[in-house]
Amino acid sequence: IFRETLSERGVRVITGLGKYFRQIDKNRNGFLSQAALKEALKVFHLEMPEGDFESLWLILDDSKSDKVDYGEFTHAIFGEMNEYRKAFVRKAYMKLDFNKTGSVPTVDVRKCYCAK
C-alpha cells in the first residue's frame, strides 16, 4: 500500500521527504528515529494505520537499532536500480571523479554541476 501511495504521488514526495529528512537530521548522521519517520510521513500525508507503520518499521530497522538510515529507507521503497540507471550513474561518477581517487569532493561537483 505504501509503495502504491508513493507511486501515485511520484518523485516530488520522495524528493520532498529527502529534503525534510536532511532538515530534521540535526547531527547529520543520516539516521531517523521512529518518531521522526512517523512525523515525516504525517507531514507528507502518508499516514497509515499503526499496525502497518509497525510492519514498515520492522522492515526498515532490520538491525534493531531503533533508527533507520535514509539510504536504506529509499532502497526499501525503490529497490535496486535497473542496469540502465546503474550504467548512467557509473558514467556520471567517472566524469565527476576525474582524479580517479574513488571519492568526489563537493568542490569537484561544483565544477561540473550548476543547479541554475
Side-chain angles (χ1 to χ4, degrees):
I1 294 174
F2 188 67
R3 276 189 186 190
E4 290 170 10
T5 303
L6 281 177
S7 68
E8 289 170 8
R9 298 191 30 220
V11 174
R12 285 189 188 159
V13 172
I14 293 300
T15 56
L17 273 171
K19 185 176 181 180
Y20 183 82
F21 288 155
R22 287 186 294 278
Q23 288 173 347
I24 64 173
D25 184 15
K26 299 299 183 201
N27 59 3
R28 303 280 187 241
N29 66 2
F31 291 100
L32 297 166
S33 68
Q34 189 172 6
L37 178 60
K38 190 178 284 190
E39 181 62 24
L41 296 178
K42 183 178 179 181
V43 167
F44 284 84
H45 307 288
L46 296 168
E47 299 97 338
M48 60 186 72
E50 187 62 31
D52 290 349
F53 180 81
E54 291 298 325
S55 296
L56 174 66
W57 183 259
L58 289 173
I59 293 167
L60 295 174
D61 184 27
D62 59 351
S63 64
K64 307 295 182 249
S65 61
D66 288 330
K67 57 188 175 189
V68 295
D69 180 291
Y70 176 67
E72 290 176 8
F73 171 79
T74 55
H75 183 264
I77 300 304
F78 290 115
E80 287 289 327
M81 283 192 283
N82 63 38
E83 287 305 314
Y84 176 78
R85 285 188 67 204
K86 283 182 186 178
F88 190 80
V89 169
R90 278 189 215 101
K91 187 175 180 178
Y93 186 82
M94 287 172 28
K95 282 196 177 266
L96 290 172
D97 186 20
F98 47 85
N99 293 326
K100 307 298 181 230
T101 61
S103 65
V104 180
T106 306
V107 68
D108 289 349
V109 174
R110 286 187 182 129
K111 290 176 186 174
C112 300
Y113 180 75
C114 176
K116 292 179 184 178

